[in-house]
Amino acid sequence: MPERSEVAYFGAGPAPLPTEVLERGAEALVNFENTGLSLVEISHRSQIANQILADTKAALATLLEIPNTHDILFMHGGGSGEFSAVVFNMIAVWVEKRRIEAERDLGHDSQKIIDRVRKELQNDLRLDYLVTGSWSLKASQEAANLLEPLGSNFVNVAVDSRKGPAGKFDNIPSEDTWTLTPPRSRDGKSSAFVYYCDNETVDGVEFPRFPERLDRLSTDPSDHVPVVADMSSNFLSRRVDVSKHAVIFGGAQKNIGITDVTLVIVRKDLLTTQPPPSFLHAVGIWSPPTILNWPVIAKNNSLYNTMPIFSIWIAGEVMRGLLETHKNRQLAGQEELAKMKAKQIYDVLDQYPEIYQIVPDRSVRSRMNICFRVRGGDAGQEKSFLQDAETQLLQGLKGHRSVGGIRISNYNAVDLARVKKLTTFLEDFAGKSRYQDI
């Protein structure tokens, strides 16, 4: 049986964790800090649990330099759960803004206010999505499914990368081609938010930087549209200007911790800009389900129901490890390390173009999920690649079932030694494959 130190795991999620965090976690599962209880047994409403929440929030706030304008929530449901939560909560915010405007114009005639907002909801509401990969596609589809009983014109896919020459998710179209909903256009239409997925785990596509179009939307008062980002698979791998986002969310099981906890960073004004559920129902829209209701979760310090305190503690341990490693450089240090590791892998793949074909365009190559084909996607060659890798204890390299191929997930816990072992294998396999051609 192999030792843990002998295995190099590159799975896309659940992802590897630092061994020292797992070792401390093993102790916490049996006897947490000499309490005589396992951390999974301790009440989520205990002083210990509340301290774990506070400590984890503090570590995340320090790493990402989260301003006081934003709150941190711990939720269930993963990124897929937040696909729905974003729709429910952000539409509620949009409706409340329209209700306030109607009340200003119509006074306190409640029926006239309801009638006007109901009409505006049907005619004016838009949700903008930048579809650059499989997960942003799923997010847009979830929004369309949720709103289907009301109509089919609410979701505006402002970008669909599949419409490029290759017909697949391999690039991000130029920003001047994006068809975002104009901010409060003359016909009254406006977007409740614009959503993007910062890193597409399945397709290996990552935004190289915060888009300029979204920068303008997030900072110009006359053009302001809330920006929502799914950062599930590149969370804590580089610096982020949180102030330019209304919402950032991510499942923990990639760069942060283990499954069953979702981190949501939400601007505080959004937590106080929702109408009563009765008003939402009166204008023909659903109120957010309690378990996905950001204001409810925030009001209850993420403890509306039983949260997985052990999972939150693990996330906190990972965050404190990053702070200890990079000190006052915080995520700048981790960003440099992630770039270094990704470059080492891509350099080897580029060295053997006849053997390895990288899927996405060079301009949007992900640092986290490196997707490529072997010999143009030859099934036998890719099977051989994976089998040979397994014999070297290089694991988790199979591409997502929807696209196939090979995927190297270069998350934070993958160290330089394991990257070196992988690049050596890539060179050896390429050499063997070339020799077979002779």
Side-chain angles (χ1 to χ4, degrees):
M1 297 291 289
E3 296 292 329
R4 178 175 175 81
S5 59
E6 297 175 302
V7 175
Y9 182 61
F10 299 92
L17 284 166
T19 297
E20 58 271 18
V21 171
L22 290 175
E23 290 171 344
R24 291 194 294 271
E27 294 178 4
L29 277 173
V30 178
N31 185 354
F32 181 69
E33 295 186 352
N34 296 316
T35 60
L37 291 172
S38 168
L39 190 48
V40 300
E41 297 171 324
I42 290 173
S43 169
H44 64 295
R45 304 202 186 280
S46 66
Q47 183 177 349
I48 290 174
N50 275 271
Q51 190 61 53
I52 288 171
L53 282 169
D55 291 345
T56 305
K57 280 186 177 182
L60 182 59
T62 301
L63 279 169
L64 280 176
E65 301 182 70
I66 298 174
N68 291 330
T69 52
H70 289 64
D71 202 353
I72 299 168
L73 311 180
F74 299 102
M75 299 182 68
H76 299 283
S80 296
E82 290 308 304
F83 294 166
S84 301
V86 165
V87 173
F88 284 122
N89 286 277
M90 296 305 292
I91 288 180
V93 170
W94 187 94
V95 167
E96 175 64 359
K97 291 178 179 178
R98 292 298 180 106
R99 186 198 68 79
I100 292 171
E101 291 178 4
E103 185 176 78
R104 182 192 61 208
D105 296 343
L106 302 172
H108 296 285
D109 189 324
S110 59
Q111 190 56 52
K112 286 185 177 180
I113 292 171
I114 288 170
D115 290 344
R116 172 169 148 173
V117 175
R118 183 191 294 122
K119 182 179 179 180
E120 291 179 346
L121 178 71
Q122 284 290 336
N123 296 332
D124 300 344
L125 174 66
R126 294 294 182 271
L127 315 179
D128 284 3
Y129 283 82
L130 308 183
V131 176
T132 56
S134 299
W135 287 109
S136 50
L137 176 62
K138 287 179 182 292
S140 68
Q141 291 171 335
E142 177 71 355
N145 289 338
L146 289 173
L147 295 172
E148 186 176 10
L150 303 181
S152 59
N153 62 331
F154 296 104
V155 174
N156 172 43
V157 176
V159 175
D160 186 341
S161 296
R162 296 171 300 176
K163 293 182 179 180
K168 60 183 179 180
F169 293 126
D170 66 343
N171 210 334
I172 297 176
S174 172
E175 293 187 28
D176 59 10
T177 68
W178 298 2
T179 57
L180 296 168
T181 302
R184 200 62 183 269
S185 53
R186 289 183 179 180
D187 59 5
K189 294 181 177 60
S190 67
S191 184
F193 61 86
V194 56
Y195 161 99
Y196 76 104
C197 181
D198 203 30
N199 182 74
E200 291 283 359
T201 322
V202 172
D203 309 283
V205 171
E206 184 176 31
F207 280 87
R209 66 192 64 83
F210 188 61
E212 291 183 11
R213 290 282 301 275
L214 301 191
D215 195 0
R216 292 198 295 272
L217 288 178
S218 68
T219 56
D220 186 342
S222 64
D223 281 357
H224 181 73
V225 175
V227 175
V228 175
D230 177 355
M231 295 189 177
S232 291
S233 55
N234 65 354
F235 216 108
L236 302 186
S237 70
R238 66 181 177 185
R239 292 163 291 180
V240 174
D241 189 342
V242 175
S243 68
K244 294 181 179 180
H245 296 80
V247 181
I248 296 172
F249 67 83
Q253 69 275 13
K254 314 259 186 209
N255 270 332
I256 309 167
I258 58 179
T259 57
D260 200 30
V261 63
T262 310
L263 282 77
V264 183
I265 303 168
V266 58
R267 212 173 59 217
K268 290 178 181 178
D269 65 284
L270 302 178
L271 302 174
T272 57
T273 314
Q274 290 197 15
S278 58
F279 187 84
L280 290 168
H281 302 160
V283 300
I285 196 70
W286 302 270
S287 55
T290 304
I291 199 65
L292 298 178
N293 189 308
W294 295 334
V296 169
I297 302 303
K299 183 179 178 180
N300 288 273
N301 190 32
S302 298
L303 294 173
Y304 177 82
N305 67 333
T306 307
M307 282 301 294
I309 297 300
F310 179 74
S311 299
I312 295 171
W313 178 81
I314 288 286
E317 289 291 292
V318 171
M319 294 173 195
R320 285 184 286 275
L322 288 172
L323 287 169
E324 176 61 27
T325 298
H326 300 296
K327 303 285 190 296
N328 61 350
R329 300 198 67 216
Q330 298 164 353
L331 288 184
Q334 188 60 41
E335 184 173 357
E336 286 183 7
L337 181 58
K339 286 181 178 178
M340 181 191 307
K341 293 188 298 173
K343 184 178 185 303
Q344 290 180 10
I345 296 168
Y346 280 121
D347 282 352
V348 174
L349 295 175
D350 285 333
Q351 188 178 340
Y352 302 98
E354 75 280 18
I355 310 297
Y356 306 123
Q357 293 80 45
I358 299 168
V359 175
D361 185 78
R362 183 181 293 270
S363 64
V364 294
R365 287 178 176 180
S366 170
R367 302 162 303 125
M368 296 289 103
N369 305 104
I370 298 166
C371 299
F372 62 96
R373 307 308 300 249
V374 178
R375 292 283 192 177
D378 181 275
Q381 288 288 316
E382 292 186 341
K383 182 179 180 180
S384 176
F385 178 94
L386 293 170
Q387 288 175 340
D388 287 3
E390 285 283 341
T391 65
Q392 299 294 318
L393 299 179
L394 297 163
Q395 300 179 358
L397 292 170
K398 189 175 182 179
H400 191 272
R401 61 187 180 279
S402 65
V403 295
I406 312 298
R407 174 173 56 177
I408 301 166
S409 291
N410 175 40
Y411 294 134
N412 287 354
V414 175
D415 59 25
L416 284 167
R418 287 174 170 81
V419 169
K420 175 61 178 174
K421 182 177 180 179
L422 174 65
T423 55
T424 299
F425 168 76
L426 290 171
E427 291 175 334
D428 291 346
F429 184 88
K432 182 179 75 171
S433 185
R434 278 178 167 176
Y435 178 77
Q436 291 171 347
D437 289 341
I438 298 175

